[in-house]
Amino acid sequence: MSDAYREMWRVLGLDLERHDVFLGALPGAFSEVFLLQENRPEGMAYFDNLLGEAHGRRVQEVLEQKKAGRVVAGTFCVFVPEELILAVDGVSVGLCAGTQFTVPAGEQVLPRNLCPLIKSLVGFKLERICPYFQLVDFLIGETTCDGKKKTWEILNDYVPTYVMELPQRKEAADLALWEGEIYRLKEEIENRSGQKISAGKLKVAIKKTNARRAALQRLYQARRADPAPISGKDALLISQLAFFDDPERFTAQVNALCDELEDRIAWGEGVARRRAPRILVAGTPMPLPYWKLHHLVETAGAVIIGEETCTGTRYFAGMVPEDGENLERQVKDLARRLLDINCACFTPNTSRVEDILRLAREGKADGVIYYSLQFCQTYALEARQVEKALRDAGIPVLCLESDFNEKDAAQLQTRIEAFLEMVA
Ligand code: BJ8
């Protein structure tokens, strides 16, 4: 990385030595997981470069936007309505939380028996190795699980942290509460940006996010072909990068990649052999730079054809109507789409089980890997219902629990290989 970036990192207050150690490990891991794949689509070059410049050019770009007066908000959950941030021409950055490297730092202020995602995200701040964490104006948290809910109080000592209260049922009263929360966030964003959110501005923002969802849905559709035209690893990387790239540029690049993938499908060209075992992954999100499960599954000869996760379908499912005639209607539409997301924090949550069954059937999955991060109670508890529904439907399922450590890789590999032998 150039000296200009070093100076930028210094000004942002990064711990340069720790940051060097962190960045130093990434190229090796990235090339082992991604670059050694055969016959990758050419369109992946943009995303490889985006990742390579995640701490460089993209930070520079966001910093320039911030200097030009645009508000920058950090988020950690798909329930945060990004449309409101975009409606004031703000920048939304989904912050990283997927590495063991930052977990020990997180454990200095958090209990050890807490979800690694939360420990990792806090560790990024405490270690001062995330440029985005250093430059955001504020964070937008949500009350999706107890771990996150209490962590926002701790993080607020380091970065102003605003919290949305997410209801945990989906009745009319919950929808009304959630609409109120969207209005409350709208006010917060207006105050921070000094701009009013009009129906016209919100409509433009809704169109941008819908276009990104449509592109990701198109990618998801292409992945279902046999042979798969793109690996699950590459598709996961794209989803992870969606959270912090410029939305319009990102959408254009995903669509360009989909053009290539659709050509591949027409020619019968793929990255895995025809009739390779097809696996759907369901469970907790996989934030950057976490690729362990996908790497193990695909190295064992299977192909991941979709993720029912927040770095998968929960991020891009559903559209917000673009013809909302006024702000009131638009807020209702935003609230509705969000409350239709099937996170395990809801009760009852039968629609999530139905979603997984539907995704497995539509994708002609040979099996489902249900994956929970260690200490994530809601997803671990819901595994039982999902497992039963899948078994009743005759779809093989493997439940795994892990964290961001590589220590259990061999053990996971053995279980995954046995599962794949069974479904093949
Ligand atoms: S909508 S999955 S992004 S909450 S894995 S921190 S739930 S203990 S990340 Fe999530 Fe929003 Fe739901 Fe998606 Fe807590 Fe579980 Fe950790 Fe989680």
Side-chain angles (χ1 to χ4, degrees):
M1 293 260 179
S2 77
D3 286 351
Y5 291 158
R6 254 193 122 62
E7 178 55 16
M8 173 177 77
W9 297 332
R10 196 190 57 73
V11 172
L12 282 172
L14 289 189
D15 179 334
L16 293 180
E17 274 178 33
R18 285 298 284 164
H19 187 242
D20 282 348
V21 178
F22 176 62
L23 281 196
L26 279 182
F30 180 75
S31 77
E32 190 198 325
V33 175
F34 291 97
L35 301 182
L36 295 180
Q37 298 176 96
E38 280 174 22
N39 200 20
R40 286 180 89 208
E42 284 176 16
M44 282 310 296
Y46 171 79
F47 303 98
D48 291 349
N49 189 262
L50 182 59
L51 185 73
E53 288 292 335
H55 283 220
R57 202 174 312 134
R58 178 64 183 144
V59 180
Q60 226 169 27
E61 187 177 51
V62 177
L63 259 180
E64 276 158 22
Q65 291 166 337
K66 183 177 160 123
K67 280 183 196 146
R70 292 169 67 176
V71 72
V72 184
T75 66
F76 296 97
C77 179
V78 297
F79 278 106
V80 175
E82 201 183 327
E83 289 87 346
L84 295 181
I85 305 167
L86 300 181
V88 295
D89 207 18
V91 183
S92 171
V93 186
L95 297 176
C96 294
T99 175
Q100 180 61 28
F101 188 85
T102 55
V103 165
E107 286 175 345
Q108 286 170 18
V109 295
L110 299 168
R112 294 190 69 178
N113 57 349
L114 187 71
C115 158
L117 187 150
I118 303 176
K119 291 188 287 193
S120 174
L121 80 87
V122 171
F124 266 109
K125 181 62 200 168
L126 296 184
E127 291 257 30
R128 288 187 292 118
I129 58 167
C130 172
Y132 301 98
F133 235 132
Q134 298 301 111
L135 69 81
V136 290
D137 293 304
F138 73 124
L139 303 177
I140 307 174
E142 20 51 53
T143 57
T144 40
C145 68
D146 288 351
K148 273 187 178 173
K149 187 164 70 186
K150 299 307 289 179
T151 296
W152 307 135
E153 296 170 19
I154 296 170
L155 261 184
N156 193 43
D157 289 342
Y158 301 89
V159 195
T161 304
Y162 177 90
V163 181
M164 297 185 81
E165 183 177 350
L166 181 76
Q168 315 228 309
R169 292 173 61 83
K170 297 188 178 186
E171 306 295 331
D174 305 299
L175 188 59
L177 185 151
W178 186 234
E179 279 173 30
E181 285 300 289
I182 294 183
Y183 277 114
R184 213 165 57 81
L185 177 66
K186 172 177 165 290
E187 229 177 275
E188 174 76 12
I189 291 175
E190 287 177 337
N191 290 339
R192 287 193 171 272
S193 66
Q195 287 187 51
K196 278 275 165 215
I197 297 180
S198 65
K201 287 180 183 171
L202 192 50
K203 186 177 183 157
V204 174
I206 288 171
K207 281 190 170 169
K208 274 186 202 168
T209 47
N210 273 349
R212 185 177 53 197
R213 282 180 206 117
L216 288 167
Q217 287 170 13
R218 188 178 163 201
L219 171 64
Y220 190 85
Q221 193 57 36
R223 288 172 72 185
R224 290 176 168 175
D226 185 21
I230 183 168
S231 67
K233 284 192 276 197
D234 280 335
L236 172 65
L237 178 64
I238 293 170
S239 284
Q240 292 171 329
L241 292 169
F243 289 86
F244 82 103
D245 195 13
D246 172 84
E248 284 175 293
R249 186 175 57 206
F250 175 84
T251 302
Q253 292 294 336
V254 175
N255 277 322
L257 173 72
C258 287
D259 290 342
E260 183 186 349
L261 299 185
E262 286 160 9
D263 283 345
R264 284 184 158 208
I265 295 169
W267 300 325
E269 185 184 348
V271 290
R273 68 176 167 83
R274 208 179 279 276
R275 282 191 279 283
R278 300 162 65 79
I279 300 298
L280 174 75
V281 169
T284 45
M286 299 179 182
L288 268 177
Y290 182 70
W291 308 303
K292 179 170 72 177
L293 179 72
H294 280 55
H295 187 48
L296 288 172
V297 172
E298 296 199 327
T299 306
V303 60
I304 293 181
I305 48 100
E307 297 84 17
E308 183 275 333
T309 67
C310 293
T311 37
T313 52
R314 287 200 293 271
Y315 178 55
F316 54 75
M319 291 285 172
V320 182
E322 294 179 6
D323 57 357
E325 62 281 10
N326 52 36
L327 255 172
E328 196 188 338
R329 182 70 254 163
Q330 290 170 320
V331 168
K332 278 190 185 305
D333 290 340
L334 285 174
R336 182 69 273 167
R337 178 190 164 266
L338 289 167
L339 223 55
D340 282 343
I341 294 172
N342 294 315
C343 175
C345 63
F346 288 98
T347 184
N349 204 21
T350 43
S351 44
R352 174 158 181 253
V353 180
E354 286 158 15
D355 243 2
I356 296 171
L357 282 172
R358 179 181 56 79
L359 292 168
R361 286 185 181 126
E362 285 176 1
K364 298 190 175 61
D366 295 306
V368 173
I369 295 185
Y370 189 97
Y371 178 81
S372 327
L373 279 171
Q374 211 180 21
F375 304 120
C376 176
Q377 293 177 338
T378 51
Y379 279 87
L381 282 161
E382 211 157 85
R384 224 178 131 82
Q385 283 172 40
V386 174
E387 192 179 8
K388 179 172 182 323
L390 286 165
R391 287 202 200 288
D392 288 350
I395 302 170
V397 53
L398 172 68
C399 292
L400 297 176
E401 189 178 83
S402 183
D403 57 15
F404 300 147
N405 232 309
E406 287 299 322
K407 285 185 189 155
D408 63 353
Q411 193 196 347
L412 288 175
Q413 188 183 357
T414 309
R415 294 192 61 196
I416 289 166
E417 283 172 357
F419 182 63
L420 295 180
E421 256 176 49
M422 188 185 86
V423 304

